[in-house]
Amino acid sequence: MNITEQKISIEKVKQSKINQVDFDNLSFGSVFADHMLVCDYKDGKWEAPKVVPYQPIVLDPSSKIFHYGQSIFEGMKAYKDVNNDTWLFRPLENQKRLNVSAKRMAIPEIPEDYFMEGLKTLLKVDEQWIPKNEGSSLYIRPFIFATGQGFHASPADEYKFIISCAPSGAYFSGKVKVLIEEKYSRSANGGVGYAKAGGNYAGQFYPTQLAVAKGYNQVIWTDDNTHEYIEEAGAMNIFVRINDTLITGPTSDRILDGITRKSILEIAKDEGITTEVRKITVAEVIAAAKDGSLKEMFGAGTAAVISPIATFGYRDVDYDLPENEDSMATKLKKRITDIQYNKTEDTFGWRYKV
Amino acid sequence: MNITEQKISIEKVKQSKINQVDFDNLSFGSVFADHMLVCDYKDGKWEAPKVVPYQPIVLDPSSKIFHYGQSIFEGMKAYKDVNNDTWLFRPLENQKRLNVSAKRMAIPEIPEDYFMEGLKTLLKVDEQWIPKNEGSSLYIRPFIFATGQGFHASPADEYKFIISCAPSGAYFSGKVKVLIEEKYSRSANGGVGYAKAGGNYAGQFYPTQLAVAKGYNQVIWTDDNTHEYIEEAGAMNIFVRINDTLITGPTSDRILDGITRKSILEIAKDEGITTEVRKITVAEVIAAAKDGSLKEMFGAGTAAVISPIATFGYRDVDYDLPENEDSMATKLKKRITDIQYNKTEDTFGWRYKV
Ligand SMILES: Cc1ncc(COP(=O)(O)O)c(C=O)c1O
Ligand SMILES: Cc1ncc(COP(=O)(O)O)c(C=O)c1O
């Protein structure tokens, strides 16, 4: 069945909550737009998506989401330009990745038109919720979870796909200090690290709490086998600049194939920056920090955009990154956000008008 | 605050559903007893547990359970003996392990008295739900999940602890055929494999579906680094009998510390069986299968008790296990279930009267 926008039913709120929101002081993902898109999977198929008022979800206590962590999600943003037009950034990449995650977690894939038409319909209904302030955007959270019931450890037979939106400001406030982790790991070879599966995030909370207690914001994960290679951060891929080369690790079954990461690689090439996609050892980063060739490190992801790392810790030693006049992070962040907010030409064809 | 049974409030159902249940044909974990125990974590503490009718749970769409897989669970059973007395098997081990899982998943630990008094109160209210039929029992599912809200990837500030019960028959029906997995993995070094975290189970569903499509019931996981070592099965630890020695792998941060596993090790010693706790290579199991020294393989876990493996597959070859007159699986299963159902003396002090 092909979904057109006409077929998506819309039930509007009686009273909008938008006046309660302080758009000048938005935190990240803590106030939610008036509506959400809901789509149920039953009897072997996805039913027609509906736009409904943001409302509680009612579930049987034996629903498998509570027991077996069968859940996946995506993270996207909608941007307003000066003409009040609404833009998305490479939304089909999120739709495809949601289905990559779905497959790995034995969740039924969501058809492209359900996702895209559902999202566009929702964004039109909640258009007023897209912030116009510099640096703010509407964070979009598509997610799917198992509603089917029973204590048998096997895939559910029913699921719910929801898109909910939250007008949001910056993910990190202030300088970012990270800790290179050697004891705990994020993902296994042959595991689910490349999927945006709920459990991947809960597994990071405790090691991150330990790092936060030591004064860091975020953990940098290394491979679970040798802990010699830098892999990624909580919800960011990691870039390292040594002299004038920008390096990021290859994706693998342990690492999320970030859309920001691959966009940055393309922008960097376009800007004439030498890039390398190869494994990065902790040892070379330490050596480069010591001899001064380590110029920059930054995280890249939809939520945090490009987040320059000010300091990294490793084995109880902190290494400060220098301030750079010709910062690649600054240049790349400007270029990618200018594309996202329609402030510059989009030679890549990434911008998507709603 | 110390919880005594008196302080646990009880709200009973108006109409029991027990007459709808066919106790002679119970599947596993698909019908649920009339009541459940509910305990909420708010403002930094667990509130008093309540026994309430089994009922739907109402959650905000931004509750972290849906997004970040912050959930843990336990699996226990209540057994009826011929005098109609109710027994648990080493329940404090489950309570302790729930808190081990809680710690790893950044979930607040549940106090021992909340767990034990809550469980006992619930079992008294739903005593009629404990099956009296041979081989059946009341499967008990304690679980905790994040109800706290927000799209920020960080631990929730609110949680729900629930105990729900399901009168259940056998977990596996018929002979068990397993596949030794070399591509996909269950857990990472430094990961969450030793915790009963929801996401560990969802991650197994897809590889298990692939195995089921090839005619197997279950995957046997190997280590994610070399795939040379046999680790465990979906919800069972694995035992291998080579000649007259019973071998099981050591627990680690990748493997659940199963209560059945450790009980079997003790019973086996008591029965005069030579046991070894050491890493088991796939290579030695294949060699033993070929030279006839591989006598038995079985899975051990609360849900499946002891499940003899009839056949295992490895690299497209199936290996059948022989039928044994002096089967250790049969002997050990009889001894452990006799203890659980109060049919024999419990020299270990494991049985716990409700
Ligand atoms: C683990 C992880 N790595 C990297 C990223 C960055 O991906 P993207 O740039 O597509 O947002 C994310 C998510 O946003 C993530 O969850
Ligand atoms: C992954 C895993 N391994 C082993 C077991 C067996 O543990 P127990 O004997 O405590 O039930 C379980 C759970 O029941 C499990 O989930």
Side-chain angles (χ1 to χ4, degrees):
Chain A
M1 193 180 56
N2 204 285
I3 289 284
T4 63
E5 287 188 46
Q6 289 72 42
K7 287 201 210 116
I8 297 176
S9 69
I10 299 174
E11 182 199 335
K12 289 205 181 167
V13 292
K14 298 217 173 64
Q15 177 74 52
S16 172
K17 294 169 308 185
I18 199 162
N19 291 331
Q20 300 165 23
V21 179
D22 178 1
F23 278 87
D24 293 325
N25 291 293
L26 290 169
S27 62
F28 184 86
S30 56
V31 290
F32 308 100
D34 283 331
H35 300 88
M36 61 186 191
L37 185 87
V38 179
C39 183
D40 287 312
Y41 182 90
K42 264 186 200 147
D43 301 323
K45 64 175 206 305
W46 288 105
E47 300 181 346
K50 305 173 283 195
V51 171
V52 296
Y54 185 84
Q55 62 190 275
I57 298 165
V58 180
L59 289 172
D60 192 85
S62 75
S63 292
K64 296 203 179 190
I65 178 62
F66 297 127
H67 304 274
Y68 302 125
Q70 218 188 348
S71 72
I72 54 174
F73 68 98
E74 272 300 323
M76 319 168 63
K77 283 177 174 173
Y79 310 89
K80 276 282 180 199
D81 69 15
V82 287
N83 306 319
N84 208 29
D85 284 332
T86 302
W87 300 93
L88 294 167
F89 184 71
R90 309 184 79 177
L92 285 165
E93 294 290 327
N94 294 95
Q95 186 268 327
K96 274 189 236 149
R97 190 170 63 186
L98 185 64
N99 282 344
V100 169
S101 301
K103 191 172 176 193
R104 184 63 181 86
M105 304 312 282
I107 289 173
E109 293 175 35
I110 191 98
E112 182 187 310
D113 56 339
Y114 282 49
F115 184 99
M116 287 305 299
E117 297 307 322
L119 175 58
K120 283 189 279 181
T121 306
L122 178 66
L123 289 178
K124 279 172 191 164
V125 173
D126 275 341
E127 201 195 330
Q128 299 305 320
W129 286 84
I130 308 171
K132 292 176 193 72
N133 328 36
E134 179 85 38
S136 292
S137 57
L138 187 72
Y139 182 75
I140 301 167
R141 169 56 57 87
F143 60 111
I144 308 181
F145 60 93
T147 55
Q149 303 168 17
F151 292 158
H152 203 282
S154 52
D157 53 0
E158 296 186 357
Y159 297 85
K160 217 180 251 300
F161 168 55
I162 294 181
I163 305 181
S164 165
C165 300
S168 294
Y171 194 85
F172 288 112
S173 49
K175 293 196 168 179
V176 180
K177 207 174 152 182
V178 301
L179 180 67
I180 297 178
E181 178 64 48
E182 287 195 294
K183 182 174 175 202
Y184 296 102
S185 308
R186 186 183 166 276
S187 56
N189 301 302
V192 302
Y194 69 96
K196 274 184 90 81
N200 285 340
Y201 298 80
Q204 300 185 54
F205 291 169
Y206 176 65
T208 304
Q209 281 180 333
L210 298 178
V212 167
K214 289 187 190 158
Y216 300 93
N217 307 80
Q218 181 69 58
V219 163
I220 302 270
W221 300 105
T222 53
D223 67 293
D224 83 302
N225 180 23
T226 67
H227 294 295
E228 283 173 20
Y229 300 96
I230 282 180
E231 302 217 308
E232 64 177 330
M236 301 187 294
N237 297 105
I238 290 293
F239 284 81
V240 173
R241 172 183 169 191
I242 296 182
N243 292 319
D244 285 326
T245 303
L246 188 63
I247 316 166
T248 191
T251 56
S252 72
D253 57 4
R254 292 190 306 276
I255 300 180
L256 194 83
D257 184 5
I259 297 160
T260 316
R261 171 187 171 280
K262 61 186 173 197
S263 303
I264 285 173
L265 282 172
E266 287 196 57
I267 293 175
K269 276 178 210 156
D270 193 65
E271 298 276 349
I273 294 171
T274 307
T275 60
E276 283 178 12
V277 176
R278 62 162 176 84
K279 288 186 170 197
I280 303 167
T281 63
V282 179
E284 72 176 311
V285 172
I286 302 291
K290 287 185 176 157
D291 73 16
S293 59
L294 183 69
K295 303 294 185 197
E296 296 182 63
M297 275 174 81
F298 58 85
T302 297
V305 198
I306 289 183
S307 288
I309 292 164
T311 304
F312 73 89
Y314 180 65
R315 296 193 181 168
D316 296 322
V317 180
D318 274 354
Y319 300 84
D320 290 325
L321 277 287
E323 304 263 351
N324 296 283
E325 291 204 349
D326 66 335
S327 157
M328 286 183 184
T330 307
K331 186 185 226 171
L332 294 166
K333 182 174 177 182
K334 179 159 174 16
R335 179 93 185 267
I336 196 169
T337 52
D338 280 355
I339 294 174
Q340 290 166 335
Y341 288 88
N342 189 26
K343 290 185 181 174
T344 189
E345 203 193 337
D346 172 16
T347 48
F348 305 98
W350 289 337
R351 217 158 37 211
Y352 183 100
K353 193 167 181 175
V354 179
Chain B
M1 191 181 58
N2 203 287
I3 289 284
T4 64
E5 286 186 48
Q6 289 73 41
K7 289 202 211 116
I8 298 175
S9 70
I10 298 174
E11 181 200 335
K12 289 205 182 170
V13 291
K14 298 214 173 65
Q15 177 74 51
S16 173
K17 294 170 306 185
I18 199 163
N19 291 331
Q20 299 165 22
V21 180
D22 178 1
F23 278 86
D24 293 325
N25 290 293
L26 290 169
S27 61
F28 184 86
S30 56
V31 288
F32 308 99
D34 283 330
H35 301 88
M36 62 186 191
L37 185 87
V38 179
C39 183
D40 288 311
Y41 182 90
K42 264 187 201 147
D43 300 323
K45 63 174 207 305
W46 288 105
E47 300 181 344
K50 305 173 282 195
V51 171
V52 296
Y54 185 84
Q55 62 190 275
I57 298 165
V58 180
L59 290 172
D60 192 84
S62 76
S63 291
K64 296 203 180 190
I65 178 62
F66 297 126
H67 304 274
Y68 302 124
Q70 220 188 346
S71 71
I72 55 173
F73 68 98
E74 272 300 324
M76 318 168 64
K77 284 178 174 173
Y79 310 90
K80 276 284 180 196
D81 70 13
V82 287
N83 305 318
N84 208 30
D85 284 331
T86 302
W87 300 92
L88 295 167
F89 184 72
R90 310 184 78 178
L92 285 165
E93 294 290 328
N94 293 94
Q95 186 269 326
K96 274 188 236 151
R97 191 171 62 189
L98 186 63
N99 282 343
V100 169
S101 301
K103 189 170 177 195
R104 183 63 180 87
M105 304 312 284
I107 290 174
E109 293 175 35
I110 191 96
E112 182 187 309
D113 56 339
Y114 281 49
F115 183 99
M116 287 306 298
E117 298 307 321
L119 176 58
K120 283 188 280 182
T121 307
L122 178 67
L123 288 177
K124 279 171 192 165
V125 172
D126 275 339
E127 200 194 328
Q128 298 305 319
W129 287 84
I130 308 171
K132 293 175 192 75
N133 327 34
E134 180 85 38
S136 293
S137 58
L138 188 72
Y139 183 75
I140 302 167
R141 170 55 57 88
F143 60 111
I144 308 181
F145 60 93
T147 54
Q149 303 168 15
F151 292 158
H152 204 281
S154 53
D157 54 0
E158 297 186 355
Y159 296 86
K160 216 178 251 302
F161 168 55
I162 294 181
I163 305 181
S164 164
C165 300
S168 294
Y171 194 85
F172 288 112
S173 49
K175 292 196 169 179
V176 180
K177 208 175 152 182
V178 300
L179 179 66
I180 298 178
E181 178 64 49
E182 288 195 293
K183 181 175 175 201
Y184 296 102
S185 308
R186 186 183 165 276
S187 57
N189 301 304
V192 303
Y194 70 96
K196 273 184 91 82
N200 285 338
Y201 297 81
Q204 300 185 54
F205 291 168
Y206 176 66
T208 305
Q209 281 180 332
L210 297 179
V212 167
K214 289 187 192 158
Y216 301 93
N217 308 81
Q218 181 69 58
V219 163
I220 304 268
W221 299 105
T222 53
D223 67 294
D224 83 302
N225 180 22
T226 67
H227 294 294
E228 283 175 18
Y229 299 96
I230 282 180
E231 302 218 306
E232 63 176 331
M236 302 186 294
N237 297 105
I238 291 292
F239 284 80
V240 172
R241 173 183 168 189
I242 296 182
N243 292 321
D244 285 326
T245 303
L246 189 63
I247 316 166
T248 192
T251 56
S252 72
D253 57 4
R254 292 189 307 275
I255 300 180
L256 195 84
D257 184 6
I259 297 161
T260 316
R261 172 186 171 280
K262 63 187 174 194
S263 303
I264 285 172
L265 283 173
E266 287 196 56
I267 292 174
K269 278 178 209 156
D270 193 66
E271 298 276 349
I273 295 170
T274 307
T275 60
E276 283 178 14
V277 176
R278 61 162 176 85
K279 289 187 169 195
I280 303 166
T281 63
V282 179
E284 74 176 310
V285 172
I286 301 291
K290 286 185 177 158
D291 74 15
S293 59
L294 182 70
K295 303 293 185 198
E296 295 181 63
M297 275 174 81
F298 58 84
T302 298
V305 198
I306 289 182
S307 289
I309 292 165
T311 303
F312 74 89
Y314 180 65
R315 296 191 181 169
D316 296 322
V317 180
D318 275 353
Y319 299 84
D320 289 326
L321 278 287
E323 304 263 351
N324 296 283
E325 291 204 347
D326 66 336
S327 157
M328 286 183 183
T330 307
K331 186 184 223 171
L332 294 166
K333 181 172 179 184
K334 180 163 177 9
R335 180 93 184 268
I336 196 168
T337 53
D338 281 356
I339 294 173
Q340 289 165 336
Y341 288 88
N342 190 26
K343 289 185 182 175
T344 190
E345 202 192 337
D346 172 16
T347 49
F348 305 97
W350 290 335
R351 217 157 38 211
Y352 183 101
K353 193 167 180 174
V354 179

